[in-house]
Amino acid sequence: MANKLKVFLLLILFSISIPAKAQIIIGLLFGEALNTEKIEFGLTGGLNRSSFNGYNDSEALNNFNLGFYFHIKLREYSFFSMGVLVRSNVGATGMPTYLLNDPGFDEVFKYGVLTTKVNYFYVPIKIT
């Protein structure tokens, strides 16, 4: 029942769309020199849900990502887009711990749960 409620709340959250005008924030912070007819600069962010393939005991891990982007207009309908997600993690949780062959550590971690997070910088590049 709790899982159905979580899924329902996530669907409601994703169905409500509030456009964020990051260009306004960037413009207020850095001035209008960053955004011109040919260049658009802004912030991007979102929710990232990741898991490890092949680990049946693992659960997906939810993280938020944050970064920036810029679009350069090459021609009328042609753009070069690039961005960097500077705050982005992937990983999984809920995995069982493993033995370390140290009686002190093995006893402490026997009933623990392993969570693994890997920090990444994503650099998407697109030419259209």
Side-chain angles (χ1 to χ4, degrees), residues 2 7-8 15-16 20 22 37 55 62 95 105 127:
V7 170
F8 178 73
S15 66
I16 298 171
E37 278 186 22
Y55 285 87
N62 296 327
M95 297 171 287
F105 282 122
I127 299 175

Side-chain angles (χ1 to χ4, degrees), residues 4 8 17-19 30 41-42 45 51-52 57 62 71 79-80 82-84 89 91 94-95 97 100 108 110 117 119:
K4 288 182 181 179
F8 178 73
S17 158
I18 300 172
F30 299 109
F41 183 83
S51 62
F52 290 149
D57 295 335
N62 296 327
H71 305 300
F79 290 90
F80 172 78
M82 183 177 170
V84 175
N89 300 326
M95 297 171 287
T97 59
L100 300 172
V108 171
K110 180 169 46 174
K117 282 187 180 181
N119 296 321

Side-chain angles (χ1 to χ4, degrees), residues 8-98:
F8 178 73
L9 290 175
L10 281 173
L11 287 173
I12 293 292
L13 178 69
F14 288 125
S15 66
I16 298 171
S17 158
I18 300 172
K21 300 294 182 185
Q23 292 82 8
I24 295 172
I25 295 170
I26 296 297
L28 288 174
L29 292 175
F30 299 109
E32 286 298 319
L34 291 176
N35 290 329
T36 65
E37 278 186 22
K38 300 271 185 183
I39 297 175
E40 176 185 321
F41 183 83
L43 297 174
T44 184
L47 178 70
N48 181 23
R49 183 168 173 85
S50 62
S51 62
F52 290 149
N53 289 335
Y55 285 87
N56 295 333
D57 295 335
S58 69
E59 300 171 10
L61 188 64
N62 296 327
N63 289 298
F64 288 100
N65 56 46
L66 180 66
F68 60 91
Y69 69 90
F70 65 91
H71 305 300
I72 300 173
K73 186 175 183 180
L74 301 174
R75 296 187 189 137
E76 187 174 351
Y77 296 106
S78 182
F79 290 90
F80 172 78
S81 300
M82 183 177 170
V84 175
L85 291 177
V86 293
R87 165 58 174 95
S88 182
N89 300 326
V90 295
T93 189
M95 297 171 287
T97 59
Y98 46 86

